[in-house]
Amino acid sequence: MWANGNIGPGCESSGSPGSRIINYSVGNYDAAHEINPTSSRGAGQDGETKPNISAPGTAVRSSVPGNGYASYSGTSMASPHVAGAIALLWASSPQLVGDVETTTSLLDGTATDNPDDQCGGTDEDNNVFGEGRLDALALLDAAPRGPVGVVEGTVTDAATGEPLAGVEVEVAGPVERMLSTDGEGAYQALVSAGDYSLTASRFGWLEQSADVTVPEDGTATQDFALEPAQTATVSGTVTDGSGAGFPLYAQVSVAGQSLATFTDPLDGGYALEVPVGEEVRLEAVVQYPGYQVVEQDVLVEADTVVDLSPTVLPDSCTAPGYTASDSVVLAESFDAGVLPDGWEIEDNLDNGQVWAVDEDGGGTGNLTGGEGAFAYVNSDAYGPDGEQDTSLVSPVMDLSGLENPSVSFAQAYIPLGDIADLDVSTDGGESWTTVSTWTTPQEGAEVMVPLPMAQGEADVRLRWHYHEAVWAFFWQVDDIVVGSRSCDPTGDGGYVVGSVSASADGSAVSGAAVTSLDVPEDRGTSRDTPADEGQDDGFYWLFSSVSGEHPFEATARGYGAATQDVDVEQGGAVRADFVLDGGLLELDRVSSRPRSSWVRTPRPST
């Protein structure tokens, strides 16, 4: 049992030894069942899903030297929760002591699924939560007790005879288990002796059931041969839904399943073969930046056309072909070094331990990412006898003329058992609603919080409420902006897509730059596309901010440049492939160098 590491939120940040296949590692989620931003993600060794499971690890009350308590966060706080659950499991079911395979299966099978696809995986097993959130009660309920035996079998495709991996086998009887077949189509479980009903199911195949009796100290074998389900074609287009109307390069998948495809970037078209009779949720993830994920539920009874129109993210407004415009009602950077006019500081404990404004921050300096003076409350500076419950309150603001109001600010927050709330009032401060709470580190972070409840309101106030702080650390806030942002089409330009290859042997060239010679900022980089069978490696895309015919150039280290004129379609997409001179000669030159001149020195282990 290992902590998975605390260098998230980036993918492939799982740390050794937790990242290794042989070990069972744990991620860290908070009291709201949200993954902690610092919790490391997978994949791990050889693509292994990591963490294996997640457990509470945020603001965990812990004993500390000096006969006291403090709150700590990290996967090292989450991992002992799982170890403790295993201790309970083995105490309640002694025959499991030392049976790592069955124990692991029980942990995996009873975890509460927590879908999160940001680092890959499925709804049931992904590289953020693993198999899901630890459920100690369900774990003990599924444990075999008394006389025990084994139920096992193999699941195959009835049409081909090939083993089927990932088939769920539900075991219902004296104990309830949910098993999954391995790469050889096999399943096995230690269960209490008795009569069971088994059901094997996998998306795309017809479900089968059978009854078995598991003898004491014996084995019941039940194989399944699943018939493929009848399918129908779900097809359509994925196009921009915020006004520009571009065809979009996107991955279209059936949520929670491994069934997925990519659109044709020239017209946004896609097609999927989906089992008839299934109600599925289609999900489109645009491969260009700045778009929201779009979902649509579909009952598949025959061939069906489903067009999807993802919209841009207005707050960030990073989608190509769009520009942001802001309406600002309040902007405060605290540069004067004093509390600005109209702002208030509340002392809810009447002890003088409150927010302040200056450049020092109680000895820390400005850690928000902003510059100069800032607002802060420093619990650490007040010492072990201090306690803080204090609010920084904005002036009254009239947001009645804004659509989609929001507040953005830079902050630094280091938690230690305290709570940092952002509250909003629409009646001038008479009543408050919490719109965001932070319990995890936010050092140098810029955040934007939507304020939909304040739309159309004329008496809006905001407060930064720091409370339940007893000799904790601090909260700093700077560069506050309240207003709204719209994200509008620029009215010109379109996408250019294609592939880059070498003239010597036709091989793909990844890492090549494709650039508009008229607008050098319009550029893309070629890359491999192993997940998309419809595109060759060396695929690139770029957005040209100017439509019409003009020259583009492809360059890569060790190759001659290639240039061609491309007629960019306004609001559309065109294809332009590039072939670079060279390839084999450069490869021979590199491979003929002495080994000592190009081998990398291994990094020291940490």
Side-chain angles (χ1 to χ4, degrees), residues 455-467:
Q455 182 167 314
E457 299 292 339
D459 296 305
V460 179
R461 301 189 82 178
L462 297 173
R463 73 178 183 188
W464 286 257
H465 184 195
Y466 184 71
H467 55 110

Side-chain angles (χ1 to χ4, degrees), residues 229-413:
Q230 179 185 353
T231 63
T233 302
V234 177
S235 61
T237 58
V238 180
T239 55
D240 168 271
S242 291
F246 303 118
L248 297 177
Y249 181 46
Q251 183 182 53
V252 181
S253 62
V254 174
Q257 306 296 335
S258 58
L259 182 60
T261 189
F262 285 81
T263 62
D264 182 337
L266 293 180
D267 60 13
Y270 76 93
L272 281 171
E273 293 299 314
V274 180
V276 172
E278 294 278 0
E279 184 170 6
V280 299
R281 175 166 294 179
L282 289 183
E283 181 178 85
V285 179
V286 181
Q287 304 301 290
Y288 306 144
Y291 281 88
Q292 304 193 58
V293 175
V294 64
E295 296 178 337
Q296 184 167 328
D297 292 331
V298 181
L299 176 60
V300 181
E301 297 179 313
D303 290 349
T304 305
V305 175
V306 180
D307 295 328
L308 301 170
S309 299
T311 55
V312 301
L313 292 162
D315 292 340
S316 60
C317 199
T318 57
Y322 284 83
T323 185
S325 58
D326 295 312
S327 297
V328 177
V329 173
L330 178 144
E332 184 53 65
S333 60
F334 303 103
D335 287 344
V338 297
L339 187 69
D341 291 342
W343 288 76
E344 297 178 4
I345 290 175
E346 295 179 343
D347 184 356
N348 299 318
L349 298 179
D350 196 26
N351 63 1
Q353 299 180 12
V354 295
W355 285 86
V357 177
D358 58 43
E359 294 188 13
D360 181 65
T364 65
N366 192 339
L367 301 177
T368 67
E371 297 180 353
F374 56 99
Y376 68 91
V377 53
N378 190 327
S379 178
D380 186 54
Y382 288 119
D385 297 325
E387 182 176 357
Q388 298 80 45
D389 187 336
T390 177
S391 296
L392 174 70
V393 187
S394 77
V396 174
M397 298 169 287
D398 183 356
L399 305 187
S400 58
L402 296 185
E403 293 185 5
N404 304 314
S406 64
V407 57
S408 64
F409 55 94
Q411 69 171 343
Y413 170 58

Side-chain angles (χ1 to χ4, degrees), residues 111-155:
T112 301
D113 291 339
N114 210 121
D116 195 318
D117 62 1
Q118 61 181 282
C119 292
T122 64
D123 287 356
E124 297 80 13
D125 190 16
N126 55 71
N127 284 310
V128 177
F129 282 90
E131 292 282 355
R133 304 192 312 273
L134 172 70
D135 188 333
L137 181 59
L139 179 68
L140 267 65
D141 285 344
R145 294 181 176 83
V148 297
V150 173
V151 59
E152 65 180 21
T154 302
V155 184

Side-chain angles (χ1 to χ4, degrees), residues 3 20 47 49 59 71 83 88 122 129 150 160 162 211 234 305 342-343 356 359 396-397 436 487 521 523 533:
R20 292 180 57 78
T49 301
S71 294
L88 287 174
T122 64
F129 282 90
V150 173
T160 65
E162 295 295 319
D211 295 329
V234 177
V305 175
W343 288 76
E359 294 188 13
V396 174
M397 298 169 287
S436 192
C487 190
E521 294 79 12
R523 58 182 291 154
E533 296 180 354

Side-chain angles (χ1 to χ4, degrees), residues 455-516:
Q455 182 167 314
E457 299 292 339
D459 296 305
V460 179
R461 301 189 82 178
L462 297 173
R463 73 178 183 188
W464 286 257
H465 184 195
Y466 184 71
H467 55 110
E468 298 186 29
V470 179
W471 200 19
F473 287 117
F474 56 80
W475 191 13
Q476 302 178 354
V477 174
D478 200 1
D479 297 331
I480 298 170
V481 177
V482 179
S484 67
R485 169 172 289 187
S486 63
C487 190
D488 306 308
T490 60
D492 196 10
Y495 283 95
V496 180
V497 303
S499 63
V500 182
S501 60
S503 62
D505 59 356
S507 61
V509 178
S510 294
V514 181
T515 308
S516 166

